[in-house]
């Protein structure tokens, strides 16, 4: 009897399972969905009271409670439905379940590779710098993208906001005519008085623009701090406005006493020149707020930093954010800011290349190690030309303007002695300024060296020598030729070709050129002479310096120079190098 009951119960259980599976399978086939409205379990047990098998449906209480809790969370958290709706990728439901109670995002980090030599920035490592081609100079910098990051614009905005009147933040687009109405362009800039100020103003494009950000670069010891201290003294004197004006000079490298000793040596005693030693940009701007200066000078941008910015002072992100803060400050307050920048071994300003894009003007100070002369050039200027050049001379009392720059490129004593053979005068231009330089040549027969040039491009010198041999008939094959430009200047334009050829002819023929003759012109491969730009200004310069003759291309003498009065100077027009030799190198 018990065995029969067991067999009957098993048969009844299999029939129930088969019936349930067929129902589920039929529903799935018709709707393509497997819907289970209630989580339950079907079981068959023996009931001793009724003495028969009883089939019951038992609900899973734990599973039901979990489902009810999950449904309640869906209703209370609308982001859950949005997460399921927007995310259609594999495992989106699992992602949504894992997202309960986690609202914080992971902080991202951005890696940048920066060259320690030239400051080139790249998004990946190449093994070498793609700008200067140096190997093993790319270093990795990581910037954390977290919520507590401080930017230069935020710092400057906090400091500047108290300066501005209420409602000044409501800015609207303005017509160009409204912006320029009432603005006198001649009085818009800060004029810098005196010969020194005139040289600096020439490079800046006519004066200092209010609210401009100017970057000064140069080699160590070239005189950047001396230059800026003298500019600060001129602005603080306020001769152009009739009263002194405060100027803030901030140094992160020297103490106030060291700056004062330099000013004492330079005989600067302006009362409105304020010195401050600090490396915190926010502290510097707060002190400037109390002082309300007419100009601010930061020496140097690589020594200052902002709290909350990744990296130490001089790092790529520190320099970028500090410059951004100072730029915002200058534009909002109309106070010009000068930044002194260090340079790398290649001569570029240290830091990211974005630094030169942020500022309004980039000035470089150049000078030879054993020379007292300094050149100030503009490599970028949003308010003027980049062709201008300022010439200074370093003295124990600071920098002095050179009124006649041609004097530094000429020999002190010249005569018609035979020992001066191989000297020729060239007239070149740098920007709008004209310079008279001296080119020296030496032809030595039987020398072991074939050629040596200083200050002249090697390819240009080879071309001129080859033209002299082919077109002028000079036998220079067995001679070693040495070329040099006085005072270490580098000849870059073609206007000095004729002077280089004349110096070589003078040395080879052992015929000194008279000291009152100048040469202007370009040489072609056929030996012909070609015109160069601004011939009138070049000839006018040598005429004012007392030269009596000037050799130029015949086309210039017949076209651009005809009918002009240059005083007592004689214009000698020549077609080619043979005519130059027959005109200049003849016995008198």
């Amino acid at each position: 009897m018990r065995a029969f009951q067991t067999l009957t119960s098993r048969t009844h259980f299999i029939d129930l399972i088969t019936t349930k599976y067929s129902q589920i399978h039929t529903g799935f086939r018709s709707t393509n969905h497997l819907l289970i409205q209630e989580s339950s379990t079907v079981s068959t047990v023996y009931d001793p009271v009724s003495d028969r098998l009883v089939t019951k449906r038992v609900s899973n209480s734990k599973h039901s409670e979990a489902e009810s809790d999950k449904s309640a969370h869906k209703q209370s958290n609308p982001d859950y439905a949005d997460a399921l709706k927007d995310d259609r990728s594999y495992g989106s439901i699992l992602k949504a379940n894992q997202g309960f109670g986690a609202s914080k995002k992971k902080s991202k980090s951005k890696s940048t590779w920066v060259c320690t030599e030239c400051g080139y920035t790249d998004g990946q490592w190449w093994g070498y710098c793609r700008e200067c081609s140096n190997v093993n100079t790319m270093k990795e910098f990581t910037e954390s993208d977290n919520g507590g990051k401080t930017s230069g614009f935020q710092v400057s905005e906090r400091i500047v906001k108290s300066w501005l009147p209420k409602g000044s933040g409501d800015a609207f687009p303005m017509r160009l005519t409204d912006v320029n109405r009432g603005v006198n362009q001649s009085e818009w800039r800060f004029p810098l008085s005196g010969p020194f100020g005139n040289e600096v103003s020439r490079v800046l494009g006519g004066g200092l623009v209010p609210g401009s950000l100017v970057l000064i670069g140069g080699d160590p010891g070239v005189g950047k701090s001396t230059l800026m201290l003298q500019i600060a003294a001129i602005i603080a004197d306020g001769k152009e406005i009739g009263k002194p004006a405060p100027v803030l000079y901030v140094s992160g490298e020297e103490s106030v006493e060291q700056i004062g000793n330099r000013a004492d040596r330079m005989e600067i005693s302006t009362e409105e020149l304020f010195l401050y030693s600090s490396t915190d940009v926010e502290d510097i701007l707060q002190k400037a707020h109390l002082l309300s200066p007419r100009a601010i000078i930061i020496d140097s941008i690589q020594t200052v930093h902002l709290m909350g910015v990744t990296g130490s002072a001089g790092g790529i992100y520190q320099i970028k954010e500090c410059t951004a803060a100072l730029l915002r400050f200058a534009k909002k307050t109309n106070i010009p800011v000068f930044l002194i920048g260090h340079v790398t071994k290649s001569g570029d300003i240290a830091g990211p290349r974005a630094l030169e894009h942020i500022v309004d003007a980039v000035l470089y100070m150049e000078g030879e190690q054993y020379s007292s002369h300094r050149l100030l050039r503009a490599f970028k200027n949003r308010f003027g030309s980049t062709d201008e050049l300022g010439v200074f001379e370093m003295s124990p009392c600071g920098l002095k303007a050179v009124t006649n720059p041609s004097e530094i490129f000429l020999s002190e004593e010249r005569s018609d002695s035979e020992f001066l053979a191989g000297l020729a005068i060239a007239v070149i231009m740098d920007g709008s300024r004209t310079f008279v330089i001296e080119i020296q040549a030496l032809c030595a027969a039987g020398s072991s060296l074939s050629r040596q040039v200083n200050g002249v491009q090697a390819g240009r010198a080879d071309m001129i020598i080859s033209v002299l041999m082919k077109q002028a008939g000079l036998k220079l094959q067995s001679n070693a030729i040495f070329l040099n430009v006085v005072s270490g200047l580098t000849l870059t334009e073609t206007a000095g070709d004729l002077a280089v050829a004349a110096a070589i002819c003078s040395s080879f023929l052992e015929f000194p050129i008279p000291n009152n003759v100048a040469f202007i012109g370009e040489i072609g491969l056929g030996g012909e002479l070609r015109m160069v730009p601004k011939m009138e200004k070049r000839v006018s310069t040598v005429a004012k310096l007392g030269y009596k003759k000037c050799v130029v291309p015949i086309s210039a003498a017949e076209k651009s120079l005809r009918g002009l009065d240059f005083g007592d100077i004689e214009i000698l027009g020549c077609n080619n190098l043979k005519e130059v030799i027959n005109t200049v190198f003849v016995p008198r």
Side-chain angles (χ1 to χ4, degrees):
M1 183 65 184
R2 185 179 299 274
F4 178 78
Q5 290 178 351
T6 303
L7 180 61
T8 306
S9 64
R10 290 183 177 179
T11 305
H12 183 68
F13 181 70
I14 293 173
D15 293 339
L16 289 173
I17 293 176
T18 305
T19 304
K20 186 67 176 177
Y21 175 78
S22 63
Q23 293 175 356
I24 295 175
H25 186 69
T26 304
F28 175 77
R29 192 166 24 180
S30 61
T31 61
N32 291 331
H33 291 286
L34 182 60
L35 301 177
I36 301 177
Q37 296 180 354
E38 183 180 0
S39 177
S40 60
T41 304
V42 178
S43 62
T44 303
V45 297
Y46 174 75
D47 187 6
V49 178
S50 59
D51 194 20
R52 61 190 181 90
L53 295 174
V54 179
T55 302
K56 296 182 180 180
R57 184 184 298 272
V58 181
S59 62
N60 191 350
S61 59
K62 294 183 180 180
H63 188 72
S64 301
E65 292 177 0
E67 290 293 334
S68 62
D69 294 340
K70 188 173 181 180
S71 301
H73 183 80
K74 291 179 183 179
Q75 296 176 359
S76 61
N77 188 5
D79 295 338
Y80 179 86
D82 295 338
L84 295 180
K85 178 179 66 176
D86 296 337
D87 192 356
R88 300 183 180 181
S89 61
Y90 174 77
S92 59
I93 298 180
L94 179 61
K95 296 176 184 177
N97 293 337
Q98 293 177 350
F100 294 152
S103 59
K104 295 183 179 179
K105 294 183 179 180
K106 293 183 178 180
S107 61
K108 299 179 181 179
S109 60
K110 179 181 179 181
S111 297
T112 306
W113 296 86
V114 182
C115 178
T116 57
E117 295 294 330
C118 66
Y120 173 73
T121 304
D122 207 327
Q124 58 182 334
W125 182 78
W126 294 92
Y128 70 99
C129 179
R130 304 174 71 183
E131 182 71 19
C132 62
S133 301
N134 288 329
V135 183
N136 295 329
T137 59
M138 301 298 290
K139 303 297 181 183
E140 184 179 10
F141 293 88
T142 304
E143 179 183 12
S144 298
D145 188 13
N146 49 32
K149 179 184 173 184
T150 303
S151 66
F153 284 111
Q154 293 174 352
V155 173
S156 59
E157 192 69 22
R158 287 199 306 267
I159 301 299
V160 174
K161 188 174 294 183
S162 58
W163 291 40
L164 304 177
K166 294 182 179 180
S168 59
D170 300 333
F172 296 95
M174 298 178 61
R175 291 188 179 91
L176 176 63
T177 54
D178 296 336
V179 174
N180 294 332
R181 184 178 293 115
V183 178
N184 189 350
Q185 296 294 334
S186 60
E187 299 177 357
W188 181 46
R189 300 173 181 262
F190 290 176
L192 303 178
S193 59
F196 176 86
N198 291 335
E199 286 292 311
V200 178
S201 297
R202 180 199 301 271
V203 181
L204 290 174
L208 183 59
V209 176
S212 60
L213 186 64
V214 182
L215 179 63
I216 309 291
D219 295 331
V222 75
K224 300 185 297 294
S225 300
T226 302
L227 173 71
M228 296 314 305
L229 195 58
Q230 290 185 246
I231 293 177
I234 292 177
I235 299 176
D237 284 337
K239 293 182 179 179
E240 69 280 357
I241 59 176
K243 60 179 181 179
V247 175
L248 180 60
Y249 186 98
V250 182
S251 177
E253 303 173 348
E254 299 177 286
S255 64
V256 174
E257 291 76 17
Q258 291 175 325
I259 305 173
N261 290 336
R262 183 188 299 116
D264 225 5
R265 187 175 68 251
M266 298 167 58
E267 299 179 357
I268 296 177
S269 58
T270 306
E271 293 185 359
E272 292 299 322
L273 179 56
F274 293 86
L275 307 179
Y276 188 55
S277 181
S278 177
T279 57
D280 189 353
V281 172
E282 192 167 359
D283 175 54
I284 293 171
L285 297 183
Q286 288 176 351
K287 296 301 186 296
H289 183 189
L290 301 175
L291 191 61
S292 296
R294 198 180 184 202
I296 298 178
I297 299 172
I298 308 294
D299 186 6
S300 64
I301 188 60
Q302 280 82 12
T303 60
V304 296
H305 69 280
L306 273 173
M307 299 297 295
V309 177
T310 305
S312 58
I316 176 174
Y317 298 113
Q318 282 286 354
I319 293 179
K320 183 185 296 184
E321 295 299 335
C322 291
T323 307
L326 295 170
L327 175 69
R328 183 76 169 177
F329 171 84
K331 300 306 178 185
K332 286 291 186 178
T333 60
N334 252 3
I335 297 176
V337 178
F338 288 91
L339 305 177
I340 296 180
H342 297 165
V343 297
T344 60
K345 294 180 180 179
S346 60
D348 299 326
I349 294 181
R353 297 304 296 265
L355 175 63
E356 301 181 24
H357 294 281
I358 293 175
V359 300
D360 296 318
V362 180
L363 308 182
Y364 273 81
M365 199 168 185
E366 305 172 357
E368 295 294 333
Q369 183 178 2
Y370 302 105
S371 175
S372 60
H373 294 95
R374 303 289 186 266
L375 304 179
L376 185 64
R377 300 178 184 271
F379 282 79
K380 174 188 176 181
N381 192 358
R382 290 176 177 166
F383 311 109
S385 174
T386 57
D387 295 331
E388 297 297 338
L389 176 70
V391 184
F392 304 92
E393 182 179 4
M394 182 66 75
S395 67
C397 296
L399 294 169
K400 294 183 178 179
V402 178
T403 56
N404 185 11
S406 298
E407 295 178 353
I408 66 177
F409 304 122
L410 297 175
S411 299
E412 297 180 359
E413 296 181 1
R414 298 191 67 232
S415 63
D416 292 336
S417 171
E418 60 180 357
F419 298 105
L420 293 180
L423 301 183
I425 300 298
V427 184
I428 64 172
M429 296 198 68
D430 198 323
S432 62
R433 308 192 68 171
T434 307
F435 298 93
V436 177
I437 64 173
E438 183 177 308
I439 298 177
Q440 301 173 333
L442 175 63
C443 295
S447 176
S448 58
L449 294 176
S450 59
R451 196 165 299 155
Q452 182 69 35
V453 294
N454 293 320
V456 182
Q457 296 178 354
R460 200 75 190 172
D462 293 341
M463 187 206 73
I464 295 173
I465 294 172
S466 300
V467 171
L468 285 174
M469 290 188 294
K470 177 69 176 179
Q471 306 298 341
L474 298 183
K475 305 298 182 180
L476 301 174
Q477 293 85 347
S478 60
N479 286 263
I481 300 176
F482 302 86
L483 293 174
N484 179 53
V485 179
V486 175
S487 299
L489 185 69
T490 300
L491 184 62
T492 57
E493 66 168 338
T494 58
D497 290 355
L498 185 55
V500 173
I504 295 174
C505 293
S506 174
S507 178
F508 179 76
L509 300 175
E510 296 183 359
F511 193 101
I513 299 175
N515 57 5
N516 58 359
V517 180
F519 299 86
I520 306 173
E522 177 183 352
I523 296 178
L525 293 179
E528 75 279 7
L529 303 187
R530 297 178 177 273
M531 284 185 58
V532 293
K534 301 179 181 179
M535 290 291 298
E536 306 89 344
K537 192 169 185 178
R538 298 174 194 266
V539 176
S540 177
T541 300
V542 295
K544 292 178 181 178
L545 293 177
Y547 287 84
K548 301 300 181 182
K549 296 180 180 180
C550 185
V551 182
V552 298
I554 189 65
S555 57
E558 294 179 349
K559 296 179 181 179
S560 60
L561 302 180
R562 174 175 293 181
L564 299 179
D565 185 14
F566 297 107
D568 298 333
I569 191 171
E570 180 183 359
I571 306 298
L572 302 177
C574 299
N575 281 315
N576 49 47
L577 286 176
K578 288 185 178 180
E579 291 188 13
V580 173
I581 295 175
N582 295 331
T583 302
V584 178
F585 301 99
V586 292
R588 300 298 178 186

